[in-house]
Amino acid sequence: MDLYGRRQEQAALDRMLDGARQGDGATLVLWGDPGIGKTALLEYVAESAAADFTVLRCGGTRLESGLTFAALHELLWPVAERISTLPEPQANALNGALGTSNDMADRFLIGVAVLTLVGELAKERPVLIVADDAQWLDEPSAQCLAFVARRLRNEPVVMLLTGHDDPGEGPWEKLAALEVRELGDEDARLFARAVAPQADESAIRRTVRAAAGNPLALQELTTSVAVGDISAHPLADEQIAVGPRLRRAFRARIEKLSPPARTALLLAAADDRSDRNTLCQAGDALGLDTVAWDEALHSGLLTKRPDGRIRFRHQLMEAVVYEEAPPANRQAVHHALASVLTGENADELRPWHLAAAWEAVGRPDEEVARLLEESAHRSWARGGCATAARALRRAAKLSPSTDDAARRLAHGARAAWEAGHVDVARGMLERAEGLSSEATVADLSEGLRGLIEFAHGDLEAACRQLTRDMERVADSGQAFRLGSMALRAAWAASHGALQREALQRLERRLPQGNFPNAELMPLLRQWWAEDQGGGADDGGQVVAPVGDVLTRLSGSSWLVMPPAPLAVAWGIESALQEALLRETDTLRHTDQVTALTQALAQTVALDIVQGSWASAKANALEGLQVAEGIGDDHLAAQCRAGLGWLAAARGDDQTVADFAARFIEAWVPRGVLVFSAGAEWNLGMSALFAGRAEEALDRLVRLSEHGHHAANATIAVLAAPDTAEAALQAGQRATAEEQARLLRRWAARTHAAWAISATHLVHALLASGSEAEKHFRLALDVPGAESRPFNYARTRLLYGEWLRRAGRRTDARTQLAEAAQTFRRLDAAPLLARTRAEQELTGQHRDFTPPRDTILTAQELRVARLAAQGLTNREIGAQLLISPRTVGHHLANVFPKLGIVSRADLARIDFGDGLHLTG
């Protein structure tokens, strides 16, 4: 059998079977919570023994627990014909017990008879006796099996019993016992996945968390769990859907207790947050004494933690205790708890208990609803969005007025959305819309319907919904944010007309500048307006103030900034990055999962262009994990897009192809052309870096092809240098000239340093002679161009290639060495290989590596660094306050230590990375 997480138990049982095969008997009691997997282990043993053992089985049931020798009858019925071979007194006693004769049942003789019968069977082949649910065996059968179990040591017989409790007392006292514990998280996840292979990962995670390692709970929850946050706590809206078998097992244990002990259990189930003193005070109010608490604590359902708190051993037990209690009892314990609560959490917990008390009897109450709503807003202000959503949903259920209920549901939907619980948010939003008008709910939920559509639906529909809601919401700051999201949706869909319409309606909605972040409105017009050939004057007014403006804005200003690719195109990545870092630090201390994922997804592209590729990958993977956990496909795709770009730059063609295929299949039907454009760009880059220029060009020209599923103006601009290089390598000069014009227009519009540098680079590739070199130098000298290390290194590589072809090998080496250093740091393998091949062509050999044990003195290291920069001995001496002769002395020591012979070789040493060769 394929059991999960039971290797140790299986090994122990296998040893027992092997011992019986060698003539040694053994008995073992497997005990643990209902559903923990004891029966599965019995099935494993029975299957393992089927070939060479006589297997006898019985199981206890509540129905037959009062029938004398019912279990023994089940156990021996398959071998009943062998009873006649026993000595007559034993046979008569056993037949009397089984009801096949009228002989009086002598329990001692019955035990001897069973022992003899089993011994006779064991002479032929080993015997396996299995008794499941031994706690429900009828008492005479249990005593008989206990008698036999203690006398099997010298017989090839294995007896296995299962029960819920530690067999320290009762018939199984002093028998060997093995507790079957809960599964570990990884085994639980594998089991849940095997039970429900079609379940999404978030449902699997919720199930594993709720089941707490109980296999039966995993099985029943995986197939029945409702969508949403799962909690066993009775004060939460979502209850664990305890399956029928577990419910029956726990109910049977509860019913064995006295009514006062059940009330004590119910108190513990009704409040898993308060300390023991609070529970005892509430118990006093209900008339409970120490006897009731002692019985409850000895029931096996509760446990005392080191901090003195009383908790259930398993949250499934807690759920059954609460749900099986009569409504009047639940109301009473919640009222008792509310009346005795004190301390800092009292104001937060009391409304929940009062709400649960009224809900127990199905009555609304506005005062309790109001208290819950106030508690929700306090939680929300502290970043506890999930708690706020639950409180507001509870408040809505208790609201006598439909208007109040709609308001609370709409606010709760927004809180649930911010916590990443999109299905819960949708459900609350729909209920709110059923109680009030769509326009009212749009205002109360701050345009949530459009935000959900943006993340999970069609972008054109999202844009139109966001634009409508922008005009409905009363708060102008929120209208600004919704308008910005509408623009983003139209941009991502590459829908220019819709983008223009959204911008016009936003400007009509907010004609005055008296709203939060109003200083961004002029910038917003520039970012989103279509390019009309604006010149340098416009560009200068746009870029310069962004950083200054953002430092004066509120923390959520990043939400109205352009999406990362557009920010990168405008050259304002540093300003956006700074705002995102501030916001991310704050969000990590809250449960605003959606906002955190948005920030992480935006950060990836910014990290990439700034050369922080390790950070980009880490943020992408974290964002992807969270986005998948909350089911936000859009944010997950943003993270994958960044990973795809990194894969292209690092030569991982298979990952690029896999991501691209996934994007095109998933996002083209939903109209998210920015993702399919990014996929084509990555494929084009991958082909270009691998030397397949024609394939690269075929991919990249699609970015500007009107009507193509990969067309997106922003991605086309960002990819223009790649497209131009691919076009020239493929002999398509006209296409390269077109890319130069595109870049020139964008540079004139934005004054972005990267665009100005890229324009010069493409002109250099198109030009020849001194004109080419002039543009190469201009591309490298643009202020701010170095802030994008990968692009800057590519310019150096292309310049170095041009210099080498022009016969200027020494100059080429300098450019190529700088490029190689950057590519190596970024692990940009394809371009690093290309650079190194070019270095070989310049005569710069790469077979030199300084000895591993090279040790330079501090002064030698300082002298070597300055000499590598091209300074003369006199200039070095002036900086270090030593004579030129001393500089020469130090260099004479440095050269043999590094294994080099000249100053030129120093330019090839990376002094910041363990004295390694840079190219």
Side-chain angles (χ1 to χ4, degrees):
M1 293 181 64
D2 188 11
L3 299 182
Y4 293 84
R6 298 301 185 206
R7 289 177 292 276
Q8 292 183 351
E9 292 88 345
Q10 288 173 286
L13 295 170
D14 288 341
R15 287 193 296 270
M16 293 178 68
L17 293 182
D18 290 340
R21 293 182 179 107
Q22 301 300 320
D24 297 325
T27 301
L28 183 67
V29 181
L30 297 169
W31 68 280
D33 290 335
I36 204 65
K38 303 181 294 295
T39 301
L41 287 167
L42 293 186
E43 294 296 333
Y44 166 78
V45 174
E47 183 178 306
S48 300
D52 57 343
F53 277 68
T54 296
V55 181
L56 303 176
R57 306 184 65 165
C58 66
T61 66
R62 295 180 67 196
L63 182 63
E64 295 186 355
S65 62
L67 299 179
T68 302
F69 290 118
L72 192 64
H73 184 278
E74 180 186 4
L75 183 77
L76 298 181
W77 191 250
V79 293
E81 73 280 0
R82 302 288 294 268
I83 296 176
S84 61
T85 66
L86 298 177
E88 185 176 355
Q90 296 179 25
N92 291 338
L94 191 51
N95 280 322
L98 300 183
T100 56
S101 75
N102 294 324
D103 291 280
M104 294 295 293
D106 183 312
R107 292 194 179 186
F108 176 77
L109 275 179
I110 292 168
V112 172
V114 173
L115 183 61
T116 302
L117 177 59
V118 170
E120 290 299 316
L121 292 171
K123 290 177 181 178
E124 301 169 10
R125 61 196 313 208
V127 175
L128 172 65
I129 299 173
V130 171
D132 200 8
D133 284 325
Q135 75 276 1
W136 295 117
L137 295 179
D138 61 276
E139 183 183 357
S141 293
Q143 289 180 347
C144 178
L145 289 178
F147 176 89
V148 173
R150 292 181 173 86
R151 292 162 174 80
L152 292 178
R153 183 173 303 173
N154 297 318
E155 300 284 351
V157 179
V158 172
M159 182 183 291
L160 296 175
L161 308 107
T162 68
H164 293 163
D165 301 315
D166 185 345
E169 299 177 355
W172 320 119
E173 183 181 359
K174 296 184 180 179
L175 293 182
L178 174 65
E179 182 181 6
V180 182
R181 297 181 178 274
E182 63 277 1
L183 298 178
D185 285 348
E186 181 57 23
D187 289 315
R189 190 190 68 78
L190 291 172
F191 179 66
R193 174 59 66 198
V195 171
Q198 304 304 318
D200 61 58
E201 195 60 33
S202 61
I204 294 294
R205 281 197 298 271
R206 293 197 303 270
T207 298
V208 169
R209 184 174 66 248
N214 186 293
L216 180 56
L218 285 165
Q219 185 173 353
E220 294 186 330
L221 281 169
T222 305
T223 55
S224 66
V225 69
V227 175
D229 185 34
I230 304 173
S231 172
H233 196 272
L235 301 187
D237 287 321
E238 309 293 347
Q239 298 299 314
I240 290 180
V242 182
R245 287 184 289 170
L246 271 179
R247 184 176 294 276
R248 285 195 298 270
F250 289 137
R251 185 193 298 130
R253 300 185 72 176
I254 297 165
E255 289 175 351
K256 291 166 57 178
L257 302 174
S258 67
R262 289 185 219 167
T263 301
L265 287 177
L266 182 57
L267 268 171
D271 191 346
D272 64 355
R273 306 176 192 182
S274 297
D275 55 28
R276 184 177 182 179
N277 184 52
T278 300
L279 292 181
C280 289
Q281 287 180 1
D284 291 342
L286 294 170
L288 298 185
D289 55 19
T290 57
V291 175
W293 281 110
D294 288 342
E295 184 182 355
L297 287 169
H298 286 89
S299 67
L301 300 175
L302 296 178
T303 182
K304 287 191 292 186
R305 293 188 179 178
D307 60 3
R309 294 171 185 260
I310 299 173
R311 295 292 180 267
F312 277 84
R313 290 183 52 241
H314 197 296
Q315 57 183 342
L316 297 171
M317 299 174 183
E318 181 180 70
V320 173
V321 166
Y322 189 81
E323 293 169 13
E324 293 293 321
N329 291 13
R330 294 204 298 266
Q331 184 184 39
V333 298
H334 284 297
H335 274 307
L337 286 162
S339 68
V340 300
L341 283 172
T342 59
E344 58 182 355
N345 294 323
D347 290 341
E348 299 303 320
L349 289 178
R350 189 175 290 110
W352 289 87
H353 282 298
L354 292 173
W358 287 111
E359 284 181 352
V361 293
R363 290 176 55 186
D365 187 280
E366 174 56 29
E367 177 60 20
V368 175
R370 182 186 63 78
L371 291 173
L372 270 176
E373 185 175 15
E374 291 174 355
S375 173
H377 287 296
R378 287 194 296 270
S379 296
W380 204 343
R382 295 193 301 268
C385 303
T387 300
R390 288 196 296 271
L392 287 164
R393 180 164 46 186
R394 208 62 167 276
K397 289 172 66 176
L398 289 166
S399 302
S401 162
T402 56
D403 288 343
D404 290 333
R407 182 187 74 253
R408 288 159 179 158
L409 284 168
H411 289 167
R414 182 71 191 210
W417 163 259
E418 292 188 9
H421 302 160
V422 62
D423 292 318
V424 176
R426 267 203 197 98
M428 295 178 73
L429 199 60
E430 290 169 1
R431 288 169 58 194
E433 290 170 344
L435 297 174
S436 187
S437 69
E438 185 178 328
T440 299
V441 174
D443 183 24
L444 292 170
S445 68
E446 299 180 319
L448 180 57
R449 177 66 66 188
L451 296 176
I452 293 176
E453 186 68 25
F454 181 90
H456 302 277
D458 178 84
L459 281 187
E460 289 191 30
C463 179
R464 298 185 191 284
Q465 181 71 51
L466 287 163
T467 306
R468 282 195 299 271
D469 290 347
M470 170 191 71
E471 296 168 341
R472 290 167 167 168
V473 297
D475 181 76
S476 54
Q478 183 60 20
F480 192 24
R481 287 189 286 273
L482 292 176
S484 299
M485 290 300 294
L487 288 165
R488 184 176 297 210
W491 165 83
S494 299
H495 199 313
L498 200 58
Q499 187 173 316
R500 286 194 301 274
E501 178 188 349
L503 182 58
Q504 291 167 2
R505 291 174 68 171
L506 175 60
E507 289 176 325
R508 288 198 300 270
R509 170 67 177 82
L510 298 170
Q512 306 298 325
N514 56 347
F515 56 89
N517 299 330
E519 292 177 85
L520 278 177
M521 181 61 96
L523 301 176
L524 202 74
R525 294 190 185 100
Q526 294 288 346
W527 292 332
W528 293 109
E530 289 189 304
D531 183 8
Q532 299 177 353
D537 291 342
D538 294 336
Q541 292 301 311
V542 172
V543 180
V546 173
D548 294 338
V549 170
L550 281 180
T551 58
R552 300 193 299 272
L553 298 179
S554 64
S556 61
S557 59
W558 66 276
L559 292 170
V560 295
M561 291 282 286
L566 188 56
V568 168
W570 274 91
I572 57 173
E573 65 272 8
S574 295
L576 178 56
Q577 180 81 304
E578 187 176 341
L580 285 170
L581 287 175
R582 288 197 305 268
E583 191 68 10
T584 301
D585 289 342
T586 301
L587 291 171
R588 287 190 187 281
H589 295 89
T590 72
D591 67 357
Q592 298 177 65
V593 179
T594 298
L596 175 61
T597 313
Q598 288 173 332
L600 289 171
Q602 288 282 85
T603 300
V604 175
L606 310 180
D607 285 333
I608 286 174
V609 297
Q610 294 177 96
S612 301
W613 288 12
S615 178
K617 183 175 181 179
N619 286 328
L621 291 174
E622 181 185 1
L624 179 60
Q625 181 181 17
V626 181
E628 289 179 335
I630 65 176
D632 195 317
D633 297 340
H634 197 99
L635 293 177
Q638 286 186 47
C639 296
R640 288 195 188 94
L643 292 171
W645 194 98
L646 288 171
R650 287 174 164 167
D652 186 354
D653 293 354
Q654 187 58 54
T655 298
V656 174
D658 291 345
F659 277 150
R662 184 172 184 171
F663 279 172
I664 292 170
E665 178 183 1
W667 295 103
V668 171
R670 290 171 59 176
V672 190
L673 301 193
V674 70
F675 288 153
S676 51
E680 293 290 352
W681 182 18
N682 293 344
L683 287 168
M685 264 205 315
S686 183
L688 176 62
F689 295 163
R692 305 189 302 273
E694 292 185 357
E695 178 189 337
L697 183 61
D698 182 57
R699 297 281 186 185
L700 295 169
V701 294
R702 300 174 184 177
L703 304 177
S704 302
E705 185 180 327
H706 182 70
H708 195 278
H709 70 255
N712 183 273
T714 303
I715 303 301
V717 167
L718 292 171
D722 300 325
T723 309
E725 184 180 346
L728 287 170
Q729 289 185 21
Q732 301 291 328
R733 184 179 178 85
T735 301
E737 290 173 341
E738 182 182 336
Q739 299 304 306
R741 289 191 292 272
L742 174 63
L743 284 166
R744 188 165 58 248
R745 288 195 303 271
W746 188 255
R749 181 183 179 192
T750 64
H751 274 195
W754 82 269
I756 298 170
S757 179
T759 302
H760 285 304
L761 174 61
V762 174
H763 280 304
L765 296 175
L766 287 165
S768 59
S770 61
E771 187 68 14
E773 180 165 24
K774 180 186 79 172
H775 282 291
F776 275 124
R777 295 307 314 176
L778 287 171
L780 292 171
D781 292 341
V782 172
E786 287 184 88
S787 66
R788 297 191 179 185
F790 182 69
N791 289 355
Y792 201 71
R794 285 185 68 186
T795 302
R796 285 191 179 277
L797 168 59
L798 291 166
Y799 184 25
E801 290 175 336
W802 183 88
L803 288 167
R804 196 267 307 165
R805 290 193 297 271
R808 294 163 56 184
R809 294 192 300 173
T810 301
D811 292 337
R813 290 174 186 169
T814 301
Q815 298 300 327
L816 294 171
E818 293 287 348
Q821 183 175 0
T822 299
F823 293 144
R824 185 167 59 82
R825 179 179 67 81
L826 297 176
D827 193 24
L831 291 187
L832 178 59
R834 177 173 160 183
T835 305
R836 286 177 168 169
E838 194 68 26
Q839 286 178 309
E840 293 284 0
L841 294 174
T842 66
Q844 183 174 350
H845 300 292
R846 297 186 293 108
D847 57 355
F848 157 76
T849 301
R852 287 185 176 274
D853 58 351
T854 297
I855 300 176
L856 301 183
T857 67
Q859 189 74 317
E860 287 171 351
L861 184 59
R862 284 190 286 269
V863 168
R865 286 179 184 276
L866 294 173
Q869 296 172 22
L871 275 66
T872 66
N873 286 9
R874 185 174 298 279
E875 291 168 336
I876 295 171
Q879 284 204 26
L880 300 180
L881 302 178
I882 57 178
S883 70
R885 183 186 298 274
T886 303
V887 172
H889 172 75
H890 285 310
L891 287 175
N893 291 329
V894 166
F895 289 169
K897 284 186 177 182
L898 297 181
I900 60 178
V901 296
S902 69
R903 286 174 178 262
D905 290 328
L906 284 173
R908 303 164 59 201
I909 304 297
D910 181 1
F911 291 92
D913 191 21
L915 299 177
H916 290 301
L917 193 68
T918 61

